[in-house]
Amino acid sequence: MKTSEIHKKEAPKSVRFAFVTISTSRYHALRIGEEFEDISFNIAKEVITSTGHQLTRYVLIPDSPRLLLATALNLIEDKDVDAIIFSGGTGPTPDDITVQTLRPLFDKELEGFGDVFRGISFQEAGSSSFLSNATAGLVAGKVFFLLPGSPTAVETALRKLICPEAGHIIALARRKL
């Protein structure tokens, strides 16, 4: 049996996820009581639960470095969360602040995640895939996934990368030397 197969066999079968949507427009709609649909969250909820994992938290915040950092720090301390998906704010516009705000928290960046994600996205979406700064990192024994806000990107990342490896990543992140 290969080492990776042994690690996966010993890994948790179910991971507890938090999902954070970073969207000023949806946040303002919520604040003024307007109806809105968070399609990316709905897709994430379906994929996470259908693959045997749990969705334990949902947070909606505007594109604010201060609120994003506070949310991340709160979720790091949350005992019911193993992995956090941050959806939105990974592009090239001035208000896309997710990666720049959260990357300094990483104990270790999983650079391959962004590379593989962009490769898969290129096959599905074409040349615009390189505009994403999607990445992942380990923080205090948890894993952060920083994804674009599009429903297609969230579904692709969850189905093809995150859910199949979530338990394995958590086991490695929490491994003692």
Side-chain angles (χ1 to χ4, degrees):
M1 189 178 272
K2 292 189 252 180
T3 303
S4 63
E5 291 171 347
I6 293 168
H7 287 165
K8 285 184 181 185
K9 187 176 179 186
E10 296 171 351
K13 302 299 180 235
S14 180
V15 170
R16 298 166 298 180
F17 283 91
F19 191 91
V20 179
T21 297
I22 300 103
S23 170
T24 299
S25 60
R26 285 190 209 119
Y27 180 79
H28 285 306
L30 176 68
R31 294 221 32 201
I32 63 172
E34 283 183 3
E35 295 268 333
F36 71 94
E37 186 176 15
D38 190 339
I39 297 169
S40 293
F41 168 70
N42 292 339
I43 288 170
K45 182 177 176 182
E46 188 276 319
V47 174
I48 289 167
T49 57
S50 72
T51 56
H53 300 293
Q54 302 168 54
L55 183 64
T56 59
R57 303 284 182 267
Y58 171 67
V59 181
L60 171 61
I61 59 172
D63 298 279
S64 160
R66 183 182 58 76
L67 289 175
L68 179 55
L69 190 56
T71 299
L73 294 173
N74 285 334
L75 290 170
I76 288 168
E77 297 300 321
D78 192 324
K79 302 280 188 242
D80 289 328
V81 173
D82 301 310
I84 307 160
I85 297 166
F86 295 90
S87 175
T90 64
T93 68
D95 63 341
D96 288 329
I97 48 82
T98 302
V99 175
Q100 294 77 6
T101 302
L102 297 180
R103 184 178 271 147
L105 297 178
F106 291 177
D107 298 321
K108 185 171 276 197
E109 187 162 7
L110 303 174
E111 295 177 25
F113 175 83
D115 296 338
V116 173
F117 173 75
R118 282 182 287 280
I120 293 168
S121 296
F122 179 76
Q123 299 300 317
E124 296 176 359
S127 61
S128 65
S129 62
F130 83 85
L131 299 176
S132 168
N133 292 311
T135 192
L138 304 179
V139 181
K142 299 187 183 205
V143 61
F144 283 19
F145 296 99
L146 290 77
L147 305 178
S150 84
T152 302
V154 169
E155 183 169 17
T156 296
L158 282 165
R159 284 196 193 281
K160 296 185 177 180
L161 298 171
I162 297 171
C163 288
E165 291 296 324
H168 186 201
I169 296 167
I170 293 302
L172 293 172
R174 295 180 177 167
R175 198 160 118 190
K176 303 290 185 226
L177 293 178

